[in-house]
Amino acid sequence: MNFVLHGHAVSTGITVGYAHLVSTARLEVAHYEVAEDRVEAEVKRFDAAMRTAQDELYELKTQIAADAPAEFGAFLDLHRMILNDSALSQVPRELIRSRRANAEWALVQQMERLSERFDEIDDPYLRERKADVQQAVERVLKAMMGGADTSKSLAEAGATEEQKLIVVAHDLSPADMILFKRHRYGGFVTDVGGVTSHTAIVARSLGIPALVGLHHAHRTISEGELLIVDGVQGLLVVNPDAAVLAEYRGRQTQLKAERQRLKLLKKTPAATLDGTPIELFANIELPQDTPEAIEAGAEGVGLFRTEFLFLNRKDLPSEDEQFEAYRQVVQAMQGRPVVLRTLDVGADKAMDGGDGSHNMPNPAMGLRAIRYCLAEPQIFLTQLRAILRASHYGKVRILLPMLAHVHEIEQTLVLIATARQQLDERKLPYDKAVEIGGMIEIPAAALALPIFMRRLNFLSIGTNDLIQYTLAIDRTDDAVAHLYDPLHPAVLTLVANTIQTATRGGVPVAVCGEMAGDLKLTRLLLGLGLRNFSMHPSQLLLIKERILRTRLADVQTMAQRILRTTDPAKTRDLLTELNT
Ligand code: PEP
Ligand code: MG
């Protein structure tokens, strides 16, 4: 059957590919005791489900088209190997017998034990295979529960299509998402999630089409079904017919040509038509994102979300490990500035090792970011030393997230002094003039800006959190995603005032939230006085093109009119006018 699901596009572009259902959320199954005389039947039920899962994987393998990406076959083989291993094929049988437990529970118990062992592996590639174990187990569970038939439709869908895999999940955490960076998936779609959740941000940084908030995708789509992810209109087309496919193929070709054209701008300096230079920086999550930032012509890294080094592991990265990661980025940027944001864990970026955010009543307002770091000074000091050491190899700036109180800056400055002293004692070099900046992402900081400015060398406006906290909407919750509005007068006033006050006070100010990479808002931000934008690299050339076509004198008056407007419909009309 062919049908369309509507969601929110978090990453533009169009992908045609095949559904790959994943669930990395804890697999919750019932636990019950099996009557003594039913134990052997339960073992048989387990064996039958294992066989079904194996058969499905075998079937899927035989149906892969010749031009399918190598990963498709490789992951099917890997899942078959995992299911063949006695750790999964035998141990749960023993658990069923010894504990008289139901088969689902025995399997998940064993999976969790294995997952813990994977967490202890040093090699990051092997450690990440935990996700494959979970996915293989999920296939068996589906078979036990009479789940969808996953063996059909690859061939039915037509072997001539470009074979890409599209991840279909109910939910993905930012930590899950970062694992997917290693695979070359064609797209991502999830049932839940807001457009500025960290999951969406990482999806966007992959530069492939992604949709969130589809509500029923994971339940209604089967493995291997043909999908079109339309990241331009926020649509997911399931089992498209030939005419729709042809139409989308045409649009894909157009988009590809567009991207090629933009590449020509890589070396063109970003400046408005009246010659005002604009700095365009890149946001990155991991050192391996740096080449993409360079490829997009970024003049620096404006936001390195260092917390991603801390996810998907039980231990903490050591000072040396962090130093190597930071140095790698700093050296790759060859003297261009790198803004390293200190650990912003908590809320949706929960550390496995226990930042406690799982248990917090309201993690977004809890012990997150700078609050967590100040509560854990040894962890913070380790990171500060690693950052300072990396500063010896290029131009490093330190950025503090989630500032709400001036004493948070003061305490941090004391810790930075301590970190310096410790490095001096170890005779390790660092840049003595490293600049310290603060994120303006809590309304309190925006409203009391002068007292923060006095203590900081630069500011960066985190519009994602600024909007979340100003409008009191959880950025990860798709039930309130429609209320997430960068054009709300309160948000615009805070952003405009921050830019104006900082500029007048001679303190450099950037925007590093998603607003900076939103083409609709480029002229508005320019008109409000912004001269430094930091965004995911995939947006950079598009934004540059818009800047090159903008005359500041033309947009300043209109930006002020938008700022004064209180009628949302009028705001949108004026914005359309500004962008035409
Ligand atoms: C922001 O809040 O706008 C920001 C850039 O930081 P993050 O999205 O990582 O919270
Ligand atoms: Mg933030």
Side-chain angles (χ1 to χ4, degrees):
M1 193 183 56
N2 92 41
F3 58 96
V4 173
L5 295 173
H6 294 253
H8 305 285
V10 297
S11 190
T12 186
I14 290 167
T15 293
V16 179
Y18 294 98
H20 174 41
L21 268 63
V22 304
S23 166
T24 43
R26 272 282 141 252
L27 292 164
E28 280 179 19
V29 294
H31 179 199
Y32 52 89
E33 198 177 273
V34 178
E36 191 124 34
D37 59 347
R38 297 289 311 151
V39 167
E40 283 316 305
E42 195 66 9
V43 172
K44 282 208 178 93
R45 195 165 77 85
F46 170 79
D47 289 344
M50 289 294 265
R51 259 195 318 277
T52 307
Q54 289 277 13
D55 291 348
E56 281 179 11
L57 289 165
Y58 181 78
E59 271 292 296
L60 281 170
K61 184 87 194 284
T62 60
Q63 293 177 10
I64 297 176
D67 58 348
E71 283 94 337
F72 202 117
F75 102 80
L76 294 174
D77 286 341
L78 177 64
H79 285 201
R80 283 175 67 203
M81 265 170 54
I82 289 169
L83 293 184
N84 265 331
D85 193 290
S86 62
L88 277 182
S89 63
Q90 291 306 321
V91 177
R93 302 171 98 235
E94 288 155 22
L95 275 174
I96 296 172
R97 289 198 175 106
S98 62
R99 307 258 185 110
R100 282 176 42 199
N102 57 312
E104 293 88 344
W105 181 85
L107 181 60
V108 170
Q109 274 297 101
Q110 177 60 1
M111 180 201 76
E112 285 184 348
R113 269 192 225 160
L114 291 176
S115 297
E116 277 168 21
R117 272 192 242 153
F118 271 90
D119 287 335
E120 285 158 15
I121 298 175
D122 282 336
D123 182 297
Y125 179 80
L126 288 179
R127 200 167 51 232
E128 286 162 19
R129 302 285 61 77
K130 178 172 98 170
D132 291 293
V133 173
Q134 291 173 337
Q135 286 162 21
V137 164
E138 208 202 16
R139 185 178 290 280
V140 182
L141 287 174
K142 272 191 173 164
M144 280 181 203
M145 296 164 181
D149 171 13
T150 61
S151 64
K152 59 173 170 48
S153 79
L154 260 184
E156 285 164 24
T160 54
E161 304 305 335
E162 195 188 346
Q163 308 252 316
K164 285 188 176 153
L165 292 184
I166 293 167
V167 173
V168 180
H170 176 67
D171 193 11
L172 291 170
S173 71
D176 296 332
M177 209 63 208
I178 214 84
L179 291 180
F180 288 128
K181 278 204 171 203
R182 285 171 181 269
H183 300 268
R184 282 186 296 122
Y185 286 110
F188 288 87
V189 301
T190 61
D191 290 342
V192 299
V195 286
T196 61
S197 65
H198 287 96
T199 303
I201 288 170
V202 181
R204 202 169 291 135
S205 77
L206 293 171
I208 53 175
L211 306 172
V212 296
L214 287 162
H215 299 283
H216 307 295
H218 194 248
R219 218 162 8 105
T220 47
I221 293 168
S222 305
E223 181 84 16
E225 274 190 304
L226 187 64
L227 304 176
I228 298 173
V229 183
D230 178 348
V232 181
Q233 299 188 80
L235 300 178
L236 181 71
V237 189
V238 185
N239 287 325
D241 57 31
V244 173
L245 255 181
E247 154 85 24
Y248 270 101
R249 290 285 182 210
R251 285 198 223 165
Q252 265 186 316
T253 312
Q254 274 173 6
L255 287 173
K256 214 165 155 189
E258 178 81 351
R259 267 198 296 275
Q260 282 306 112
R261 193 180 55 73
L262 281 174
K263 278 194 183 158
L264 300 173
L265 295 179
K266 180 182 163 185
K267 295 219 166 88
T268 312
T272 58
L273 279 173
D274 23 23
T276 302
I278 307 295
E279 286 181 303
L280 296 182
F281 281 35
N283 293 354
I284 63 168
E285 277 88 44
L286 289 173
Q288 51 263 42
D289 300 335
T290 321
E292 203 197 331
I294 295 167
E295 198 42 45
E299 290 164 70
V301 169
L303 174 67
F304 179 176
R305 290 182 162 99
T306 60
E307 55 276 7
F308 282 91
L309 294 169
F310 291 68
L311 304 185
N312 293 312
R313 55 193 294 163
K314 280 243 155 53
D315 60 342
L316 292 164
S318 66
E319 178 185 319
D320 280 350
E321 185 183 338
Q322 290 185 59
F323 162 61
E324 288 303 338
Y326 306 151
R327 182 173 66 165
Q328 194 183 327
V329 176
V330 172
Q331 284 184 325
M333 290 309 288
Q334 298 182 327
R336 283 168 282 192
V338 176
V339 179
L340 283 143
R341 180 175 70 187
T342 57
L343 189 60
D344 183 3
V345 278
D348 58 339
K349 289 173 292 192
M351 286 198 294
D352 289 355
D355 51 36
S357 44
H358 293 298
N359 305 322
M360 284 179 203
N362 189 346
M365 293 203 183
L367 202 63
R368 190 191 145 182
I370 194 74
R371 304 168 180 186
Y372 174 79
C373 287
L374 292 173
E376 295 285 351
Q378 289 314 322
I379 295 177
F380 199 14
L381 268 174
T382 304
Q383 180 175 46
L384 291 171
R385 285 193 304 268
I387 295 177
L388 286 171
R389 284 172 61 189
S391 72
H392 179 64
Y393 297 87
K395 183 141 191 53
V396 163
R397 294 178 185 148
I398 298 176
L399 179 62
L400 310 175
M402 283 272 293
L403 294 174
H405 300 270
V406 163
H407 60 72
E408 290 160 340
I409 306 176
E410 280 157 1
Q411 280 175 265
T412 304
L413 293 178
V414 171
L415 286 171
I416 292 175
T418 309
R420 286 185 170 142
Q421 204 182 332
Q422 290 168 338
L423 293 180
D424 289 340
E425 281 160 18
R426 287 159 59 194
K427 301 207 173 0
L428 289 171
Y430 59 89
D431 174 5
K432 300 227 164 22
V434 168
E435 294 185 343
I436 318 291
M439 292 208 51
I440 304 302
E441 52 183 347
I442 295 184
L447 290 166
L449 199 66
I451 56 169
F452 289 87
M453 265 166 52
R454 274 201 287 280
R455 292 162 172 89
L456 295 166
N457 303 117
F458 67 97
L459 304 176
S460 195
I461 309 177
T463 51
N464 308 333
D465 278 315
L466 189 62
I467 297 170
Q468 153 163 272
Y469 296 123
T470 305
L471 302 181
I473 39 153
D474 185 336
R475 59 195 267 201
T476 65
D477 184 353
D478 86 302
V480 288
H482 61 291
L483 300 173
Y484 194 94
D485 183 10
L487 292 173
H488 190 291
V491 173
L492 285 185
T493 304
L494 289 175
V495 170
N497 287 352
T498 303
I499 296 170
Q500 198 187 58
T501 312
T503 309
R504 282 197 186 140
V507 178
V509 58
V511 168
C512 64
E514 296 302 290
M515 277 178 82
D518 186 341
L519 193 61
K520 288 192 305 298
L521 305 176
T522 309
R523 284 191 170 153
L524 176 60
L525 290 171
L526 285 170
L528 294 177
L530 188 70
R531 302 291 177 258
N532 184 322
F533 296 63
S534 191
M535 67 199 76
H536 38 95
S538 58
Q539 282 300 96
L540 205 138
L541 292 174
L542 201 62
I543 301 290
K544 188 192 275 188
E545 184 184 49
R546 180 60 58 93
I547 290 169
L548 292 169
R549 292 177 179 172
T550 301
R551 194 177 303 280
L552 277 184
D554 295 342
V555 296
Q556 277 158 342
T557 317
M558 187 62 102
Q560 288 307 317
R561 277 180 71 193
I562 292 177
L563 193 58
R564 283 194 305 269
T565 307
T566 47
D567 172 7
K570 179 124 187 267
T571 302
R572 276 161 180 80
D573 288 349
L574 289 175
L575 192 69
T576 310
E577 206 181 311
L578 182 66
N579 286 327
T580 43

